[in-house]
Amino acid sequence: MILLLLVFINIVFVPLLLVGVIRKIKALMQNRVGSPVLQAFYDIGKLLRKSETISGTASWVFTLAPRLNLAVVAVAALLVPWSGAAFPASWGSVTNFLLVIYLLGLGKFISMLAAMDTGSAFGGLGASRDALISVLVEPALMIGLGALALGAKSMDLSVIYSTPASHFVAILVGASLIVIALSELSRMPVDDPTTHLELNMVHEAMILENSGRNLALVKLAVALRTCIFFGLAAQTFLHALPQYSELSQLLRYGVGISSLFVVGVLVAVAEGVLVKLNWRRVPNFVAFAIALSSLAALIAVARG
Amino acid sequence: MLTLPGSLSGWYVAALCLWACVTLIGVFRRHSSSPLFPIALGLGSGLLLVTAILGGNRVMTAPAPWFLAVSPFRFSADPLSRWFLGIIGIVGIAAAVFSPSYLHHLRKRVALGFVWSALALLMISMSLVVLSANALVFLVAWELMALSSFALVASDHEKHSVHRAALVYLGATRTGTAFLMTGFLWAHYLTGSWSFSAWHLSGGEALGPALLIFIGLAVKAGCWPFHLWLPIAHPAAPAPVSAVMSGVMIKTAIYAMVRLLVMGHLDCPVLGPVVLILGAISAFWGVLFALLQHDLKRLLAYHSVENIGIILMGLGLSMIGKSLHLPFLAQLGLAAALFHTLNHALFKSLLFLGAGVVDARAHTRDIEQLGGLIHRMPWTAGSFIIGSAAICALPPLNGFASEWLLYKGFFGLAQNGADVGGRLCGLLLMGWLALIGALALACFVKAVGVVFLGLPRSEQAQRAKEGTRSMIIAQVLLAVLCAGLGIAASVVLVPLGSVVAFVQGESSVLAGVWTLPVPMLVVVLVLTLGALALWMLVSSRSKPARRFITWECGFGDLGPRMQYTASSFAQPIARMFRAVNRYAVQVDVQGSGRKHFPDAVSAESEYEPYLQTRVYTPALKLIQDMAGAFLARLQAGSIHQYLAYMMVALGLLLFLGCRS
């Protein structure tokens, strides 16, 4: 019963709240009052009540993509211990990090196809740039999580995030995960999520043609992915502290959620301070994640 | 004739007879397109599949008068051969179902009976390669395979590009066979026997033959740096033939590698890392150059190079595991390689058949002229999307299953490797495989997006229609197999485990290796998706979706030229790797108000395949120059010169004869 309630809160309430908090902090940094913290909920509610307009060029791929993407991301959000609450290790390796990475890849595949489905230049632009970013992010994610897995002697995320990790490895992988999160979620300095200019459209370009109900599903999926990546980074940093693994399940969940919001606030502050990179410099930035992950791998391997 | 110890080898002989009939009839009736050809071919493949699944292990030898020079005709069927026979059978069935309708559209340029004949001969020779038990029979079957596939590549021989492709392919097979023959001769010299099971060499002795045999097989498999013939030859052949060649024929080289280098006793510890490194480079090189292609079949051929690289990484891992005395690693690497062999055969054939339908209906392979085909050929598009998802290793399809095993193998290397370097390599190879997977994802989003989605970029694409029912059936069959093998991976691992155990000669340690609850995951995904779709459907009752045009910023009529092209899609990634492929875009702007009001803008993107322009072309030119300058002088046509040669040769032989 408690588990179901926790799952519901995790999947529905926390992601949209996080998005609202990030927006509020950015607004405060820009000396504005900004929209209320619960604005994301109102947006989703409004979008669900609106009808949608679909391009005549689009096919079943366009309609399937937001649904499949949200389904995949929701299942991944259940598997990844981003809030501190995790599946017990006896559930088989359903939380195997390869499965999670490739599930997210499935969501990405179908959303890139949907972007190209409408025959507009924006979709192709967004999909092609997203492809470039994922080429750099996937190895970093794989090597980073591999380094953590080596320390925990298991490829299951639920086991990795309940065994204490070495400080250096955890901090390096956490930093790498922050860079990965900023790139994957198209946040500054990789892309500006608030504008619709061709200079800096990655995610916004891909979802341009969605409207109404489809757009609500897309926004929910984005909010969930934000939680997954920021939460994973927060958990990795927390695992540098050996005391964290010794806390009780409920306390771990509480600390996990609060650290997720702390990471969100820090990212919002960073977004207010950072300048968006020239697109030609973006690969250099994202490749930092590969460097950090490889360093973490070297340390993890050397520790035996 | 051959001894028949049991009815199952009788079925195999029946398959051989069916195919032999097709071969002979096809040669004599070159232009006939009788329905008996596909039926016989398909039936033969079906019998082969049955033999593979139900056959036992036996050795068949032709009795005394039937000798191949110095060794008997000996064939042996064991678990490894039967795994590959099964692959040949499945792809053969799909090709047989697909071919009649496809070849129908080629009937004016191509001698259909001859194509069927060569295809049957190819199937015969592939099955003989996989079953042969000694080197000479292997070489005979290998050469038959090379010749029949050469005939198939040259089917549409009135086109100049097909001419060139066929000759390049012939040259590549000659080179590969030369290395293979030298390796076999050396092994025979060291061991005194032609039979594969008698070749026990180790250490320094094994290095020479093993290396030569590996190079010969690598040429056939399409491993870097010997892969150049693959993207030239495979697109030139008709689509079902490309499917068979890419799906099965290059896998016979993998079979030989497993039999001789992994299972055989040519113990050569250096070879493991070499195979792994070459596999890793092939995988990266293949997928990078695939991103730059805009010929659909050339793109798929480069992806074959990539997947052969992945299979070789598994084989290399297995050999390294064996030399480190880690049986789990050795078996896991081999299991990943063999599983990927099966999976690649399935999804690559599916993709080539889809490309064949596109080629037959839209009359072009250039993806920059296609688009919007999903509305015109929905079944082909659906199966092509499933094939693309499978080749990008997305769960729950079969590509994910085999790559997961390989990842697990690399993680095992990271945990148990001999030294820090080895263990770090395990982790970095996981990252490398992820990089390759992301590049493959980019490439297939490009291919599917530009070919099937969006607006049609040409008249031909606009008027294309769906393929015939047999074409659809063949593709749907393969797509269902892809999905089925992915979901039921734990079931497939049972026979695979026994094949691997047989190859390694020890009991299987792979019993509990597949721990992912994929069926449950699929059920959860389908239920979630169903719930979401139902919710959306219910809420759309009151406000149905409105169909309107794509957003064009208010500029008005949005034509197909406003879409992203394939070259534009690939540009960011190609530019990022410009150190490898010398990618450059030349933009030329003309007009008086050049910067803001141009008269004409031209943009040209170019890339340079280094290996071809810097290594192979100069090498071939050098050989041609030497032949022209030097060798031509030896054959000057002067009778005095030839008499002098004969005198010198006679003197030399007398001298050598008197010495001993």
Side-chain angles (χ1 to χ4, degrees):
Chain A
M1 198 57 229
I2 302 245
L3 192 64
L4 277 177
L5 194 64
L6 229 59
V7 162
F8 180 73
I9 294 177
N10 268 1
I11 297 283
V12 174
F13 195 65
V14 172
L16 295 175
L17 192 61
L18 180 67
V19 167
V21 164
I22 293 180
R23 263 197 231 160
K24 187 73 170 174
I25 301 289
K26 272 174 77 168
L28 289 176
M29 286 215 56
Q30 291 167 0
N31 226 1
R32 310 185 267 125
V33 174
S35 45
V37 172
L38 295 180
Q39 182 62 37
F41 292 90
Y42 306 145
D43 283 344
I44 299 283
K46 173 188 79 171
L47 285 171
L48 283 174
R49 286 194 302 269
K50 284 189 155 203
S51 67
E52 55 177 326
T53 302
I54 303 185
S55 160
T57 322
S59 64
W60 53 265
V61 173
F62 185 78
T63 343
L64 174 68
R67 295 154 176 66
L68 184 58
N69 193 21
L70 183 59
V72 159
V73 171
V75 171
L78 282 175
L79 298 177
V80 171
W82 53 270
S83 59
F87 274 130
S90 56
W91 275 45
S93 53
V94 70
T95 57
N96 189 303
F97 74 84
L98 291 168
L99 183 62
V100 168
I101 293 178
Y102 275 93
L103 264 182
L104 291 172
L106 176 63
K108 194 187 287 256
F109 178 69
I110 200 75
S111 34
M112 286 208 270
L113 282 185
M116 305 213 50
D117 197 12
T118 50
S120 82
F122 291 112
L125 175 70
S128 125
R129 289 179 169 187
D130 201 20
L132 174 66
I133 291 181
S134 72
V135 162
L136 292 166
V137 156
E138 299 272 314
L141 197 54
M142 189 67 71
I143 298 178
L145 289 178
L148 281 179
L150 206 56
K153 299 196 194 330
S154 157
M155 291 219 286
D156 302 337
L157 285 175
S158 52
V159 174
I160 295 175
Y161 283 97
S162 44
T163 33
S166 123
H167 302 288
F168 294 118
V169 173
I171 291 178
L172 282 170
V173 174
S176 164
L177 279 172
I178 293 278
V179 175
I180 289 173
L182 291 179
S183 321
E184 269 271 339
L185 303 166
S186 303
R187 305 206 78 95
M188 300 281 262
V190 170
D191 180 21
D192 194 343
T194 55
T195 75
H196 284 72
L197 303 172
E198 286 84 359
L199 291 174
N200 50 23
M201 285 164 84
V202 179
H203 176 71
E204 288 299 316
M206 283 194 349
I207 64 167
L208 197 70
E209 287 289 323
N210 291 285
S211 54
R213 291 178 292 269
N214 265 2
L215 192 54
L217 294 180
V218 167
K219 282 192 188 289
L220 271 172
V222 167
L224 267 172
R225 279 176 68 215
T226 314
C227 274
I228 291 178
F229 282 102
F230 285 166
L232 212 56
Q235 286 291 310
T236 314
F237 280 124
L238 282 174
H239 269 277
L241 307 166
Q243 297 86 351
Y244 184 67
S245 341
E246 292 154 23
L247 295 174
S248 77
Q249 181 83 320
L250 208 59
L251 214 56
R252 265 219 302 257
Y253 176 70
V255 175
I257 291 283
S258 356
S259 57
L260 169 68
F261 277 92
V262 165
V263 169
V265 166
L266 287 174
V267 165
V269 169
E271 286 208 347
V273 167
L274 286 174
V275 161
K276 201 202 89 69
L277 285 172
N278 183 328
W279 174 253
R280 295 189 161 203
R281 309 264 312 267
V282 164
N284 296 342
F285 173 74
V286 184
F288 253 129
I290 301 185
L292 287 168
S293 291
S294 308
L295 205 53
L298 180 61
I299 297 179
V301 155
R303 284 173 61 91
Chain B
M1 270 266 188
L2 296 170
T3 52
L4 297 172
S7 60
L8 282 164
S9 54
W11 289 17
Y12 173 64
V13 172
L16 276 183
C17 290
L18 276 172
W19 286 337
C21 289
V22 174
T23 310
L24 289 169
I25 298 176
V27 167
F28 291 117
R29 294 187 161 280
R30 292 211 190 157
H31 296 277
S32 94
S33 58
S34 141
L36 285 177
F37 287 148
I39 293 176
L41 209 68
L43 210 58
S45 308
L47 288 172
L48 196 67
L49 189 60
V50 168
T51 321
I53 297 177
L54 299 174
N57 309 331
R58 53 177 50 85
V59 178
M60 300 178 276
T61 314
W66 295 95
F67 249 55
L68 185 63
V70 290
S71 73
F73 277 104
R74 183 173 288 131
F75 302 99
S76 79
D78 50 30
L80 182 63
S81 327
R82 286 191 289 119
W83 180 260
F84 282 87
L85 279 182
I87 298 178
I88 298 175
I90 298 179
V91 176
I93 294 177
V97 172
F98 185 85
S99 298
S101 322
Y102 180 81
L103 291 175
H104 181 73
H105 105 278
L106 283 179
R107 66 192 180 285
K108 300 221 174 62
R109 298 200 305 262
V110 170
L112 293 187
F114 202 65
V115 170
W116 284 111
S117 156
L119 193 57
L121 190 59
L122 181 62
M123 302 291 287
I124 294 177
S125 49
M126 284 196 295
S127 55
L128 287 179
V129 161
V130 163
L131 286 175
S132 51
N134 64 26
L136 290 179
V137 179
F138 183 90
L139 279 174
V140 167
W142 193 256
E143 289 296 280
L144 267 181
M145 207 168 67
L147 287 175
S148 51
S149 48
F150 165 71
L152 284 170
V153 168
S155 325
D156 199 358
H157 57 86
E158 284 171 23
K159 283 200 213 161
H160 180 70
S161 61
V162 174
H163 257 191
R164 177 176 171 259
L167 289 174
V168 164
Y169 179 60
L170 196 61
T173 51
R174 296 306 90 215
T175 318
T177 312
F179 276 103
L180 203 56
M181 258 193 234
T182 320
F184 281 171
L185 282 170
W186 195 343
H188 169 75
Y189 172 69
L190 288 174
T191 57
S193 152
W194 291 108
S195 174
F196 286 151
S197 49
W199 285 359
H200 291 258
L201 297 166
S202 58
E205 261 195 339
L207 183 61
L211 212 54
L212 285 172
I213 291 175
F214 174 67
I215 293 177
L217 294 173
V219 171
K220 182 62 149 192
C223 170
W224 188 90
F226 313 114
H227 67 282
L228 283 171
W229 63 269
L230 223 157
I232 298 176
H234 282 205
V241 170
S242 304
V244 170
M245 280 173 66
S246 193
V248 191
M249 197 185 67
I250 54 185
K251 306 305 184 334
T252 54
I254 302 288
Y255 159 79
M257 275 191 217
V258 175
R259 182 164 289 280
L260 294 171
L261 301 173
V262 177
M263 173 170 131
H265 299 275
L266 291 171
D267 278 327
C268 182
V270 162
L271 210 55
V274 167
V275 171
L276 185 61
I277 291 173
L278 283 183
I281 299 179
S282 303
F284 177 68
W285 204 267
V287 77
L288 188 63
F289 278 90
L291 207 50
L292 297 162
Q293 305 306 318
H294 53 77
D295 175 339
L296 189 56
K297 284 168 81 173
R298 235 174 114 94
L299 187 147
L300 293 174
Y302 268 110
H303 274 285
S304 289
V305 174
E306 172 213 343
N307 282 286
I308 287 288
I310 295 178
I311 296 175
L312 285 177
M313 284 207 272
L315 282 184
L317 182 68
S318 174
M319 288 198 247
I320 290 177
K322 196 164 164 185
S323 62
L324 289 177
H325 304 290
L326 296 166
F328 182 66
L329 209 60
Q331 291 199 6
L332 195 56
L334 191 61
L338 288 177
F339 199 10
H340 202 74
T341 310
L342 173 62
N343 293 336
H344 179 239
L346 291 176
F347 51 67
K348 189 41 70 68
S349 314
L350 172 59
L351 291 170
F352 264 114
L353 294 185
V357 177
V358 170
D359 189 13
R361 290 295 187 248
H363 306 291
T364 175
R365 289 196 320 244
D366 186 358
I367 56 182
E368 310 273 29
Q369 303 293 324
L370 297 168
L373 291 179
I374 194 170
H375 299 288
R376 292 152 181 85
M377 26 175 102
W379 287 95
T380 307
S383 353
F384 198 91
I385 290 179
I386 292 184
S388 318
I391 200 171
C392 297
L394 299 175
L397 298 171
N398 54 1
F400 173 70
S402 47
E403 286 207 15
W404 187 81
L405 285 175
L406 191 57
Y407 273 116
K408 210 169 155 82
F410 285 140
F411 189 68
L413 181 63
Q415 283 184 306
N416 306 317
D419 55 351
V420 175
R423 293 205 295 272
L424 185 63
C425 275
L427 274 186
L428 291 181
L429 280 168
M430 285 175 78
W432 189 254
L433 204 54
L435 171 71
I436 293 165
L439 283 169
L441 189 79
C443 190
F444 271 98
V445 168
K446 175 191 93 165
V448 173
V450 171
V451 171
F452 289 103
L453 305 175
L455 288 166
R457 293 173 178 80
S458 70
E459 274 285 317
Q460 302 155 310
Q462 205 158 11
R463 284 189 301 209
K465 288 202 286 275
E466 177 66 276
T468 62
R469 209 174 330 153
S470 57
M471 289 174 162
I472 297 176
I473 289 177
Q475 292 177 79
V476 168
L477 172 72
L478 286 173
V480 165
L481 274 176
C482 281
L485 279 185
I487 298 177
S490 50
V491 170
V492 174
L493 278 175
V494 172
L496 182 60
S498 57
V499 172
V500 166
F502 166 76
V503 168
Q504 298 285 9
E506 50 201 29
S507 59
S508 168
V509 296
L510 294 180
V513 79
W514 186 260
T515 48
L516 295 181
V518 174
M520 184 188 85
L521 195 68
V522 169
V523 166
V524 169
L525 260 178
V526 165
L527 283 177
T528 321
L529 185 63
L532 277 173
L534 199 64
W535 176 30
M536 289 291 112
L537 199 65
V538 163
S539 63
S540 76
R541 281 295 154 83
S542 47
K543 286 176 293 292
R546 178 174 77 119
R547 284 267 164 179
F548 198 55
I549 57 171
T550 310
W551 170 242
E552 18 64 308
C553 299
F555 280 121
D557 194 18
L558 195 66
R561 284 213 49 184
M562 290 303 289
Q563 302 175 97
Y564 243 50
T565 60
S567 325
S568 352
F569 192 95
Q571 190 260 352
I573 302 181
R575 190 175 163 276
M576 188 166 77
F577 287 111
R578 62 188 178 279
V580 175
N581 58 22
R582 280 287 188 95
Y583 185 81
V585 177
Q586 311 260 32
V587 178
D588 186 27
V589 180
Q590 286 162 0
S592 52
R594 262 215 288 265
K595 204 161 145 71
H596 299 288
F597 299 100
D599 287 340
V601 180
S602 81
E604 187 181 328
S605 65
E606 59 184 10
Y607 70 96
E608 183 187 334
Y610 261 134
L611 211 54
Q612 191 171 331
T613 54
R614 300 294 174 96
V615 176
Y616 278 95
T617 310
L620 288 171
K621 192 164 175 309
L622 184 68
I623 293 177
Q624 275 183 310
D625 287 345
M626 271 178 37
F630 179 62
L631 290 176
R633 281 172 212 239
L634 289 177
Q635 296 179 328
S638 152
I639 191 115
H640 306 288
Q641 206 174 9
Y642 295 163
L643 283 172
Y645 291 155
M646 283 198 272
M647 290 285 290
V648 167
L650 197 57
L652 193 63
L653 286 170
L654 281 172
F655 175 66
L656 286 174
C658 290
R659 264 168 54 105
S660 60

